[in-house]
Amino acid sequence: MKINFLQWDSDFFKKKIGDITVGKEEYIDTEDYDLIVVKQPFAFDFGLNGYQLSFTETKLNFIKALNLHHHQDFAMVKNTDTDERNADYFKELAYESGKKSRFLLDEKFGEEKFRELYDMWVINSLNKKFALKIFYIEEDGKAIGFVTLQQYERLGKIGLIATHPNFQGKGFGKKLLDKVESFCVKNEMTHLEIPTQKENIQACGFYKKQGYTIKDEIIIKHYWKDDSL
């Protein structure tokens, strides 16, 4: 099987990175990659000669069929189209959103590159490359929660979502999600999808409580070349 070369990832991390989806143990031409991201639809033992497994996670995609049922006041929820903010305003929330990210938890990447990656995610969400909308809640001039939304025809998909740790458990995350759902329905999106990690128990519980179900899951493994460890 041939590996799919990831140009953007390779340029950003300055490593030769590729990914491949495998459904069984089979020969893979590693082509001298520094990192091979292996995706498996189900769990089974898998190894690559000359590479070491450094990280494993299970990615979940939650989904919900939408209908216009929200009657609450969204006054506290702002959006960057009408209430502009710069990237620095959202960076700490972006890091909170990525606290279970494989780019942080796999120490081979390093926290500095993780932060740089999420900084770019915020910047590209604000300039509309990665997101159609950014909604946020603030208190005393500081962002305490935010969410980014992208549209794929009739499907809405959340990119980043987080509430500041000091304000979690107070309903702000639900207000943000309700606002996104309301926006999606008004803009003819029928479903909303949210990716997260199975290991993120708190997030999974929250999405299930809001009526989301698991659409699919995939096991993601990082195999680093021996001499790059």
Side-chain angles (χ1 to χ4, degrees):
M1 291 185 68
K2 188 172 179 63
I3 296 168
N4 173 46
F5 176 62
L6 300 176
Q7 184 71 62
W8 192 95
D9 301 64
S10 298
D11 291 343
F12 180 78
F13 291 107
K14 296 180 173 56
K15 303 281 187 181
K16 186 178 181 182
I17 301 174
D19 69 1
I20 191 167
T21 299
V22 295
K24 60 181 180 180
E25 184 79 36
E26 52 193 301
Y27 172 76
I28 294 176
D29 182 2
T30 57
E31 300 180 47
D32 201 35
Y33 277 88
D34 296 303
L35 169 63
I36 300 172
V37 180
V38 174
K39 301 177 180 179
Q40 299 175 209
F42 54 89
F44 60 89
D45 291 335
F46 183 84
L48 287 172
N49 289 333
Y51 288 77
Q52 291 186 32
L53 175 64
S54 69
F55 179 79
T56 302
E57 73 169 18
T58 301
K59 179 181 177 181
L60 300 181
N61 282 310
F62 282 88
I63 196 165
K64 180 179 180 179
L66 303 176
N67 56 76
L68 191 58
H69 64 280
H70 302 299
H71 303 290
Q72 64 174 290
D73 181 8
F74 291 122
M76 71 161 53
V77 182
K78 300 181 179 181
N79 76 83
T80 53
D81 290 336
T82 55
D83 296 281
E84 294 183 11
R85 294 291 185 269
N86 62 28
D88 289 340
Y89 188 76
F90 297 110
K91 285 182 179 179
E92 290 303 320
L93 284 174
Y95 305 151
E96 175 66 18
S97 177
K99 66 183 180 182
K100 296 291 185 179
S101 166
R102 59 193 176 96
F103 298 108
L104 176 63
L105 299 183
D106 186 342
E107 296 179 355
K108 274 294 294 175
F109 290 118
E111 185 172 351
E112 182 178 349
K113 292 301 288 184
F114 157 77
R115 287 177 175 264
E116 185 181 342
L117 176 65
Y118 275 69
D119 288 349
M120 292 183 65
W121 198 337
V122 171
I123 291 168
N124 285 315
S125 295
L126 285 167
N127 66 24
K128 304 289 188 178
K129 289 182 180 178
F130 288 1
L132 172 67
K133 299 287 287 188
I134 298 179
F135 296 104
Y136 67 96
I137 298 173
E138 63 181 3
E139 186 170 292
D140 297 327
K142 295 182 178 181
I144 63 172
F146 90 134
V147 57
T148 71
L149 172 72
Q150 186 57 287
Q151 181 176 4
Y152 302 90
E153 297 182 350
R154 304 294 293 277
L155 174 69
K157 189 168 184 177
I158 285 177
L160 300 171
I161 182 170
T163 301
H164 190 282
N166 293 345
F167 294 89
Q168 292 175 7
K170 299 182 179 181
F172 294 115
K174 184 179 187 306
K175 286 184 182 295
L176 287 166
L177 200 52
D178 285 349
K179 176 63 177 179
V180 170
E181 292 180 7
S182 177
F183 176 85
C184 286
V185 171
K186 291 176 181 178
N187 287 272
E188 301 183 341
M189 287 174 259
T190 60
H191 292 76
L192 182 61
E193 186 172 309
I194 312 175
T196 191
Q197 302 82 20
K198 191 173 186 177
E199 295 78 8
N200 192 341
I201 304 300
Q202 182 181 8
C204 291
F206 172 68
Y207 299 139
K208 289 177 181 177
K209 188 176 180 181
Q210 305 311 313
Y212 288 78
T213 57
I214 297 173
K215 174 186 175 184
D216 53 50
E217 64 180 82
I218 188 166
I219 298 166
I220 299 177
K221 297 179 177 180
H222 290 179
Y223 287 87
W224 288 91
K225 192 176 180 182
D226 286 345
D227 59 12
S228 66
L229 288 170

